[in-house]
Amino acid sequence: MAKSFSKRWQNGEISNFQYIMHLNTLAGRGYSDLTQYPVFPWVLSDYESEKLDLSNPKSFRKLEKPMGCQTQEGEEEFRKRYETWDDPEVPKFHYGSHYSSAGIVLFYLLRLPPFSVENQKLQGGQFDHADRLFNSIRDTWLSASGKGNTSDVKELIPEFFYIPEFLENRFNLDLGEKQSGEKVGDVLLPPWAKGSAREFIRKHREALESDFVSENLHHWIDLIFGYKQRGKEAEEAANVFYHYTYEGSVDIDSVTDPAMKAAILAQINHFGQTPKQLFLKPHVKRRSDRRIPHPLKHSSHLVPYEIRKSSSAITQIVTVHEKILLAGTNCLLKPTTYNKYVAWGFPDRSLRFMSYDQDRLLSTHENLHGGSQIQCAGASHDGQILVTGADDGLLCVWRISKDGPRVLQHLQLENALCGHTATITCLHVSQPYMLILSGSDDCTVIVWDLSSLVFVRQLPQFPVPISALYVNDLTGEIMTAAGILLAVWSINGDCLAVINTSQLPSDSILSVTSCTFSDWQDTNWYVTGHQSGAVKVWQMVHCSSQASASSKFTSSSTGGLNLGDKVPEYRLLLHKVLKFHKHPVTSLHLTSDLKQLLSGDSDGHLLSWTLPDQSLMASSNQG
């Protein structure tokens, strides 16, 4: 398993983040155990600059050295401790503390429930002294990288690369005052984050995936999971920890004294554990990534081809094994094989399962919403859950079970979700993020939990009914369209950006999508399909960026969306209008391999937008 993953990482097929996560899992580390939580590396050493330069090796930490040896003085001190250690009972070590422990995890996740409570428990019921809390990324780096503190060699946790919320004191916890009189609130970020936790996470993840880290990460893997973890190699690399932190270093069952046994267990549980050793030889180096030109980034070069003409409007486009499958009005293709589809909108108000190839009726289900007509439907990736929305404002969640010799589909009602006061106009099910998103004629969007089937939150009121919804299964970002208003939201309901997409109030957005190629690279591109037949490509940029400053935009322009005193952090810039459709664009699909953007209209025309080879060469050179 480690081998095949190592090969894929070496070939640039999986990201550095995915690979480190995989190694942690193989070494028995995971989110459910604070004493063996996933360990991630510090990757940067520059927390001072206004602009982060990822092409400069000086911006990065020394990945070939443990945290205690990031400075010459630190390394000398720890080596001296090792050489002069003289205790017949306790084997020599460089570090008395560890780079990963329950205390370190709770130190970082202090602002995030339920870790806040666990942090207080660890400190005897209250938060530690304000000066000792996680308060500044720069100061934490300086302490951990051996600048003046020999008891601190901590590495990072995975949250530093994907969850901005843990850096903000969103729950207004009373974290006390420092000796300087300053109240502890949000974590202080480096200047290059422009005061934004989200931008810090984005740039930090970019640093983790940068060429420099890709070329040097194997050294860090050698230290944490590999051949430099133990024995002579560890000694030479100044990477030896207290003996109880190593797996198998003590046979706990042979300790007869109960007090001694409890002391050893407490030591192991509280002071850190070294991961299981996965590699006994030097780890292979990664080759540089193969960069694929991004069709949205280079959308000015996209060329349309009509590849199919369907007899009815195209409302859904799915690609499976190089095949393109389409659904028409009042139809939904059913995962996982997509050889069936669900249809509704019949005079008897039934829902029907049909075979995709022959349109053969497989089963009919009546009275699913009493006397109300189903308006839209969504399904989970595994094909086991179907969600229907009707004109009574109800969402019904059904479990699909197969039964009997003719393999009839049975629908069992799991729950009816009440929250909307008018017809459900659109819905989206995201199994990776376990949520259901529903939009309605009542101008609201509600987020529901797919596992517990309860209300999570309602987004702020929109000025007009909701016309399209999308959840990106990689980033968790939510896209909402209400008339001509496009908004992008975080998974936790923060409005990231909002814009009126057209001068014409009648040019409604009927379809939206974004990119699921990567969870970190070029994720800020979005596409909207319009009533006028236009397909528009949008780029989301931070308000502090130059591109944003040069665009004509007023901060009050939230398009009639009531966000209170919160101003969105990002702006949507129109990158390109793709014109070819003569009818309203009712569905969009960007293939996950980035080969093509597919768009379908109300008259059944399916277009494929692709980058031609010549411009592809030129544009990838620029890109």
Side-chain angles (χ1 to χ4, degrees):
M1 189 85 160
K3 235 185 187 132
S4 68
F5 245 81
S6 299
K7 264 265 170 292
R8 289 179 62 198
W9 174 71
Q10 197 188 338
N11 294 338
E13 291 168 36
I14 57 175
S15 66
N16 293 339
F17 182 92
Q18 283 172 300
Y19 189 52
I20 299 170
M21 205 55 175
H22 179 72
L23 295 181
N24 273 290
T25 307
L26 284 182
R29 301 179 86 86
Y31 288 110
S32 54
D33 183 354
L34 291 178
T35 68
Q36 297 199 63
Y37 207 73
V39 56
F40 268 66
W42 283 95
V43 289
L44 293 169
S45 63
D46 176 7
Y47 299 97
E48 318 266 346
S49 306
E50 282 294 331
K51 196 171 185 317
L52 181 61
D53 181 3
L54 295 180
S55 62
N56 181 1
K58 288 196 170 66
S59 301
F60 296 91
R61 78 99 30 107
K62 298 180 185 124
L63 283 158
E64 70 284 1
K65 290 185 180 286
M67 280 307 290
C69 302
Q70 293 299 309
T71 62
Q72 185 76 40
E73 309 83 72
E75 182 164 353
E76 283 166 9
E77 181 144 347
F78 288 120
R79 285 189 186 277
K80 194 165 117 200
R81 172 195 283 179
Y82 187 83
E83 296 310 328
T84 56
W85 185 258
D86 186 23
D87 185 330
E89 299 289 305
V90 180
K92 288 180 168 188
F93 59 87
H94 293 102
Y95 313 105
S97 56
H98 205 263
Y99 51 77
S100 172
S101 68
I104 291 169
V105 176
L106 294 174
F107 168 80
Y108 286 136
L109 296 180
L110 160 82
R111 292 163 177 79
L112 206 61
F115 302 99
S116 324
V117 178
E118 292 301 316
N119 185 299
Q120 284 176 304
K121 278 188 203 161
L122 191 73
Q123 300 293 338
Q126 59 204 20
F127 291 121
D128 198 358
H129 190 284
D131 285 276
R132 284 200 292 265
L133 297 178
F134 176 39
N135 191 35
S136 149
I137 288 174
R138 175 184 167 271
D139 294 353
T140 306
W141 157 257
L142 290 175
S143 169
S145 58
K147 295 185 170 60
N149 186 353
T150 54
S151 64
D152 178 6
V153 291
K154 59 175 152 299
E155 290 278 12
L156 297 183
I157 53 175
E159 283 79 357
F160 272 85
F161 301 95
Y162 66 86
I163 182 164
E165 285 82 359
F166 90 100
L167 297 166
E168 299 170 333
N169 187 14
R170 293 194 164 208
F171 297 89
N172 297 318
L173 301 170
D174 183 4
L175 302 174
E177 273 185 21
K178 292 162 73 171
Q179 280 172 327
S180 61
E182 180 192 346
K183 252 184 106 51
V184 177
D186 296 346
V187 176
L188 298 174
L189 304 169
W192 47 257
K194 306 298 177 203
S196 159
R198 198 167 291 280
E199 278 297 279
F200 170 80
I201 295 289
R202 186 181 69 77
K203 289 175 179 171
H204 200 220
R205 176 67 196 271
E206 203 181 318
L208 177 66
E209 305 297 346
S210 67
D211 290 343
F212 180 88
V213 173
S214 291
E215 284 160 23
N216 292 283
L217 188 60
H218 60 289
H219 295 307
W220 183 81
I221 293 169
D222 288 337
L223 293 167
I224 307 295
F225 301 103
Y227 82 114
K228 288 184 178 175
Q229 192 199 79
R230 295 170 180 231
K232 190 144 186 55
E233 297 291 349
E235 191 181 324
E236 282 172 17
N239 193 36
V240 180
F241 290 83
Y242 192 71
H243 65 122
Y244 281 164
T245 68
Y246 295 96
E247 187 184 44
S249 67
V250 58
D251 180 6
I252 200 78
D253 296 328
S254 66
V255 181
T256 49
D257 179 1
M260 185 66 175
K261 195 174 203 165
I264 293 171
L265 283 171
Q267 162 83 26
I268 291 170
N269 279 327
H270 289 105
F271 294 99
Q273 296 178 50
T274 301
K276 194 188 293 263
Q277 193 172 17
L278 300 176
F279 308 102
L280 299 172
K281 296 205 287 274
H283 195 285
V284 289
K285 187 177 170 177
R286 181 174 181 155
R287 301 192 194 105
S288 63
D289 281 6
R290 299 189 299 272
R291 294 266 171 13
I292 297 171
H294 197 299
L296 301 185
K297 214 172 172 179
H298 305 301
S299 51
S300 48
H301 298 289
L302 285 174
V303 179
Y305 299 94
E306 182 163 336
I307 53 174
R308 205 178 300 173
K309 171 71 176 81
S310 177
S311 56
S312 81
I314 298 168
T315 59
Q316 186 192 9
I317 304 167
V318 171
T319 47
V320 197
H321 314 307
E322 303 288 310
K323 281 208 318 228
I324 299 171
L325 309 179
L326 307 176
T329 309
N330 292 347
C331 294
L332 174 81
L333 295 161
K334 182 187 163 300
T336 51
T337 54
Y338 299 101
N339 59 6
K340 298 184 189 72
Y341 66 92
V342 181
W344 61 89
F346 304 102
D348 64 356
R349 306 190 180 283
S350 66
L351 178 103
R352 303 175 189 181
F353 281 83
M354 315 284 289
S355 72
Y356 184 78
D357 291 335
Q358 297 157 342
D359 289 328
R360 194 162 50 86
L361 177 66
L362 301 172
S363 61
T364 303
H365 308 266
E366 295 179 324
N367 288 329
L368 295 188
H369 280 261
S372 301
Q373 183 62 279
I374 293 171
Q375 298 294 333
C376 52
S380 60
H381 279 312
D382 60 12
Q384 291 178 13
I385 296 286
L386 178 72
V387 184
T388 53
D391 52 17
D392 56 2
L394 276 185
L395 284 174
C396 288
V397 183
W398 310 90
R399 183 163 292 282
I400 304 170
S401 54
K402 293 197 178 82
D403 194 31
R406 287 186 51 217
V407 198
L408 279 174
Q409 308 282 328
H410 276 258
L411 292 180
Q412 181 189 341
L413 182 64
E414 295 282 296
N415 207 352
L417 307 176
C418 320
H420 292 289
T421 56
T423 301
I424 308 290
T425 52
C426 44
L427 64 90
H428 188 104
V429 180
S430 170
Q431 203 160 10
Y433 282 93
M434 290 311 277
L435 60 86
I436 302 166
L437 200 61
S438 60
S440 162
D441 271 341
D442 64 12
C443 307
T444 64
V445 171
I446 294 179
V447 182
W448 311 86
D449 187 308
L450 180 59
S451 53
S452 56
L453 301 180
V454 295
F455 173 94
V456 177
R457 69 169 51 81
Q458 181 178 310
L459 300 182
Q461 188 92 13
F462 292 82
V464 294
I466 313 304
S467 50
L469 293 173
Y470 179 78
V471 180
N472 186 307
D473 282 341
L474 271 184
T475 63
E477 278 181 358
I478 293 168
M479 291 176 76
T480 60
I484 57 169
L485 189 72
L486 171 68
V488 180
W489 310 79
S490 77
I491 184 87
N492 290 315
D494 296 324
C495 184
L496 303 182
V498 57
I499 194 166
N500 272 324
T501 55
S502 176
Q503 250 76 88
L504 299 168
S506 61
D507 191 19
S508 289
I509 305 166
L510 304 179
S511 48
V512 288
T513 195
S514 64
C515 176
T516 54
F517 170 68
S518 161
D519 62 344
W520 69 275
Q521 197 179 353
D522 294 327
T523 56
N524 57 330
W525 292 88
Y526 309 88
V527 196
T528 51
H530 293 256
Q531 182 75 35
S532 62
V535 172
K536 298 186 179 183
V537 178
W538 304 88
Q539 183 187 15
M540 186 167 79
V541 296
H542 194 255
C543 289
S544 64
S545 76
Q546 279 154 337
S548 167
S550 60
S551 74
K552 298 186 289 292
F553 187 93
T554 56
S555 58
S556 61
S557 176
T558 53
L561 188 62
N562 180 18
L563 297 174
D565 56 354
K566 288 189 177 161
V567 177
E569 242 190 90
Y570 294 83
R571 290 179 189 171
L572 286 159
L573 308 180
L574 181 61
H575 190 71
K576 178 73 181 164
V577 180
L578 302 171
K579 291 180 177 164
F580 196 86
H581 285 284
K582 299 192 171 39
H583 301 273
V585 179
T586 45
S587 74
L588 291 165
H589 176 69
L590 182 62
T591 58
S592 54
D593 60 8
L594 293 186
K595 294 262 171 64
Q596 57 184 340
L597 170 66
L598 296 163
S599 58
D601 66 27
S602 61
D603 198 43
H605 300 275
L606 177 68
L607 294 189
S608 166
W609 303 82
T610 50
L611 290 171
D613 290 346
Q614 297 77 28
S615 71
L616 190 145
M617 298 316 293
S619 60
S620 57
N621 291 343
Q622 293 158 22

